[in-house]
Amino acid sequence: MNDLGHRFTADSVGRALDLVGERWSLLILRETFFGVRRYGEFARNLAIPRPTLSARLKTLVDAGVLDRVDPVPEYVLTRAGRDLFGAVVTLMQWGDRYLAGPEGPPILLRHKDCGEIAETFVACGHCGGAIAADKVTPEPGPGFR
């Protein structure tokens, strides 16, 4: 295997966490995936302090994850924001599996195409095979330093 010992100098996971790894940012994203668009709705649904909400929304807008649409301010997902859906759902389902109370998951996602409760998994875009830690080999990419 190639030496990836200094991979953390250009770590995409670290950069992503710097942007969306904070609790409130992920909860704001979750709300947008479920249709919340307005400041007051975020504040009400999340019981988030308003200064914190303002700061997180500004960060997500500045980073291109959300767009602020006027005249009545609404926050809508950009393509970059929509692309985070799989990560948020996978995190949600991990929490459902390992952290839910005895009553079970609080929210289920029904897949519109087949009508079943959706269960996410990470798959290879080329062959469709499942991706797991023991099924991949890290190697330097074009941005590797």
Side-chain angles (χ1 to χ4, degrees):
M1 179 161 80
N2 295 316
D3 178 24
L4 299 178
H6 62 287
R7 68 191 173 276
F8 298 109
T9 60
D11 177 41
S12 295
V13 172
R15 288 190 302 245
L17 286 174
D18 284 344
L19 177 61
V20 298
E22 185 272 331
R23 174 186 186 357
W24 290 119
S25 297
L26 281 172
L27 292 176
I28 289 167
L29 287 170
R30 180 200 64 197
E31 291 298 301
T32 60
F33 292 133
F34 295 148
V36 173
R37 301 281 181 265
R38 295 197 175 168
Y39 186 93
E41 294 171 319
F42 289 115
R44 181 190 68 234
N45 291 3
L46 297 173
I48 181 175
R50 289 183 181 261
T52 302
L53 175 58
S54 296
R56 296 309 180 274
L57 287 170
K58 181 179 181 340
T59 296
L60 293 169
V61 168
D62 290 349
V65 173
L66 295 175
D67 275 333
R68 181 185 157 140
V69 180
D70 292 320
V72 177
E74 289 191 337
Y75 295 89
V76 295
L77 292 158
T78 63
R79 179 177 177 182
R82 289 188 306 273
D83 283 350
L84 284 166
F85 182 74
V88 172
V89 170
T90 299
L91 186 60
M92 180 184 93
Q93 289 185 344
W94 182 90
D96 291 344
R97 180 173 294 122
Y98 297 105
L99 304 173
E103 61 280 353
I107 296 172
L108 298 173
L109 302 176
R110 187 161 307 278
H111 189 231
K112 290 180 180 180
D113 290 349
C114 71
E116 296 295 325
I117 298 301
E119 292 186 34
T120 62
F121 70 98
V122 180
C124 176
H126 297 282
C127 72
I131 299 291
D134 63 342
K135 301 282 186 189
V136 296
T137 303
E139 60 184 57
F144 186 78
R145 292 181 248 167

